[in-house]
Amino acid sequence: MHNTQYYLKEYLKERPLFLSLTRSCESPLYQKYLPLQKPVLDLGCGDGFFAKVTFSQQIDIGLDMTDSRIKENQYNSYKKIVTYDGKRIPYPDNYFATVVSNCVLEHIPDIDQTLSEIYRVLKKGGLFLTTVMSAPWEEYLFGNIFLGDIYKKWMRKKQEHNTILDEKLWRKKFQKHAFRIIDEAGYIDKTSARWIDVLHYFCVPDLISYKIFHKWVLWPSLSRFIPTAFFASLLDKPVNIQKSGCLFFGIKKSL
């Protein structure tokens, strides 16, 4: 099993530091479930880079909205790439053994419909693995220290977060849809969240590069100057679930 620093280095080859910090501590959370039971659906798959780095297998279906980064998919992470309207998942009942969804649910306007759809397409006993942003994330933002609610509202709009719940409410949301929670973990504490927020602004050149060249990182070799051991040590600190900025859930369809 690879550690956080390994994933951080892998991410920095193609992603800016602020995003790499978050994703590098999400990848290890999925490892104990590998290999994923097939068929597998990646809901909100984006360009497939997270799947390439995280999973040791090709995922059966990558699903996302037509206007998402799915159009940039180039990593051969999926056997098939499918677009949909964000409402009904275009597969029959009890079809998938596993659904994965990494930091997607908080972006969805009608989360209840999406959770109902995930439940519908999962087989009985099927597994749903997901990460979500939690309410403390907004409280931990560095800009919140100076601008308070104004900054939180601006960042929520900028990051397109429609549903930010605390740990108890996320649990209730899943249980409302008859899911059984079998695993839960917190990641990203206050210190890490503030680093990530500040680094958004230092990574503006990466954003400009992406807008012009459709590549976040033009010179991957420069990542060797980033103190990955330091950042990995921050990310590896134990995080209280109730105080965590992000959450991982392993969930089963029991009926």
Side-chain angles (χ1 to χ4, degrees), residues 13-59:
K13 292 175 183 178
E14 298 197 31
R15 293 294 187 269
L17 179 56
F18 78 89
L19 184 57
S20 297
L21 291 178
T22 305
R23 297 292 176 259
S24 62
C25 53
E26 290 167 344
S27 292
L29 295 169
Y30 292 87
Q31 299 307 301
K32 67 180 177 181
Y33 294 99
L34 300 183
L36 302 174
Q37 294 298 305
K38 300 178 181 181
V40 183
L41 170 68
D42 185 350
L43 178 68
C45 64
D47 66 2
F49 187 60
F50 182 81
K52 173 183 178 291
V53 173
T54 304
F55 304 117
S56 57
Q57 65 193 90
Q58 192 177 43
I59 304 300

Side-chain angles (χ1 to χ4, degrees), residues 172-191:
K172 288 182 179 179
K173 181 68 73 175
F174 295 130
Q175 291 165 346
K176 172 186 174 182
H177 291 271
F179 284 111
R180 179 167 61 91
I181 298 170
I182 61 169
D183 189 12
E184 183 179 0
Y187 64 100
I188 304 293
D189 65 4
K190 181 188 290 187
T191 301

Side-chain angles (χ1 to χ4, degrees), residues 12-239:
L12 288 170
K13 292 175 183 178
E14 298 197 31
R15 293 294 187 269
L17 179 56
F18 78 89
L19 184 57
S20 297
L21 291 178
T22 305
R23 297 292 176 259
S24 62
C25 53
E26 290 167 344
S27 292
L29 295 169
Y30 292 87
Q31 299 307 301
K32 67 180 177 181
Y33 294 99
L34 300 183
L36 302 174
Q37 294 298 305
K38 300 178 181 181
V40 183
L41 170 68
D42 185 350
L43 178 68
C45 64
D47 66 2
F49 187 60
F50 182 81
K52 173 183 178 291
V53 173
T54 304
F55 304 117
S56 57
Q57 65 193 90
Q58 192 177 43
I59 304 300
D60 297 282
I61 304 295
L63 180 69
D64 213 326
M65 302 277 286
T66 306
D67 60 352
S68 70
R69 286 180 180 159
I70 195 171
K71 59 183 176 292
E72 301 170 19
N73 205 293
Q74 56 180 315
Y75 297 102
N76 197 33
S77 302
Y78 308 101
K79 295 178 182 177
K80 186 177 182 181
I81 296 172
V82 178
T83 59
Y84 81 131
D85 61 3
K87 297 178 180 179
R88 182 175 175 81
I89 296 175
Y91 286 89
D93 297 359
N94 309 305
Y95 186 85
F96 294 101
T98 309
V99 174
V100 297
S101 181
N102 194 69
C103 274
V104 172
L105 295 181
E106 63 266 21
H107 298 287
I108 298 173
D110 191 346
I111 192 171
D112 287 299
Q113 180 176 357
T114 296
L115 288 175
S116 294
E117 280 294 286
I118 293 170
Y119 189 89
R120 179 183 65 80
V121 299
L122 266 177
K123 296 179 179 180
K124 182 178 179 180
L127 191 62
F128 175 36
L129 303 175
T130 185
T131 58
V132 292
M133 307 299 289
S134 188
W137 166 257
E138 293 186 331
E139 299 300 322
Y140 294 162
L141 295 173
F142 187 78
N144 183 45
I145 298 173
F146 307 101
L147 298 174
D149 288 344
I150 294 174
Y151 188 77
K152 287 189 288 187
K153 290 178 181 178
W154 179 73
M155 283 299 289
R156 180 176 286 205
K157 183 177 180 180
K158 177 180 174 61
Q159 296 177 329
E160 298 180 341
H161 288 162
N162 290 290
T163 305
I164 300 288
L165 306 175
D166 63 26
E167 185 268 342
K168 289 183 178 179
L169 290 178
W170 274 118
R171 289 181 65 89
K172 288 182 179 179
K173 181 68 73 175
F174 295 130
Q175 291 165 346
K176 172 186 174 182
H177 291 271
F179 284 111
R180 179 167 61 91
I181 298 170
I182 61 169
D183 189 12
E184 183 179 0
Y187 64 100
I188 304 293
D189 65 4
K190 181 188 290 187
T191 301
S192 297
R194 287 183 173 169
W195 269 105
I196 292 168
D197 188 32
V198 169
L199 287 168
H200 271 93
Y201 305 102
F202 284 91
C203 293
V204 167
D206 298 294
L207 178 61
I208 295 172
S209 170
Y210 177 75
K211 293 291 186 182
I212 297 175
F213 303 107
H214 300 290
K215 288 187 67 175
W216 288 103
V217 179
L218 294 181
W219 298 284
S221 61
L222 294 179
S223 65
R224 70 180 184 273
F225 297 110
I226 295 174
T228 55
F230 166 75
F231 286 116
S233 69
L234 290 179
L235 298 171
D236 283 335
K237 289 180 179 179
V239 185

